[in-house]
Amino acid sequence: MRRLRSSTVVLGGMGVLAAAITACGSEPDKRCVDPLTRESLPSYECDSGGGSDDDNGGSTNRGSYYYGGSIRDNRVSGGSFDQKAVDTGGFGCSGSGGG
């Protein structure tokens, strides 16, 4: 039976620890979505800046960012428009959303 070197064990353990830390602190998926129909939109529909509601031909952004969830048939579900309401669910996370 082959024995692992201590450096291999340490490096493997560090990789697991790094994955746990980054997964817990990661941001949920962010998608541009039409808030009325929940259809997925291109990101420029949500990007802020330059849009206006005037009648002089100004463009408006019709989308809002939707966090977490999944897309099926070009519609999102299972997430929220409030980023703080979405649990990233990473390994070792408490789910309390503190931070």
Side-chain angles (χ1 to χ4, degrees):
M1 184 168 191
R2 185 175 165 200
R3 295 184 65 162
L4 293 176
R5 292 184 174 190
S6 61
S7 61
T8 304
V9 173
V10 169
L11 289 175
M14 293 299 284
V16 170
L17 180 62
I21 291 170
T22 57
C24 188
S26 65
E27 298 281 322
D29 290 337
K30 179 169 89 171
R31 299 174 175 91
C32 186
V33 172
D34 184 321
L36 298 176
T37 64
R38 300 237 174 162
E39 285 186 54
S40 180
L41 299 172
S43 63
Y44 65 82
E45 291 284 353
C46 285
D47 291 340
S48 62
S52 65
D53 288 33
D54 62 6
D55 293 329
N56 298 331
S59 63
T60 59
N61 295 328
R62 67 180 185 137
S64 296
Y65 283 114
Y66 189 84
Y67 300 92
S70 60
I71 296 179
R72 186 171 193 172
D73 297 329
N74 203 36
R75 295 189 190 276
V76 295
S77 64
S80 174
F81 287 102
D82 181 9
Q83 181 179 5
K84 294 178 182 175
V86 179
D87 179 22
T88 57
F91 176 75
C93 294
S94 65
S96 64

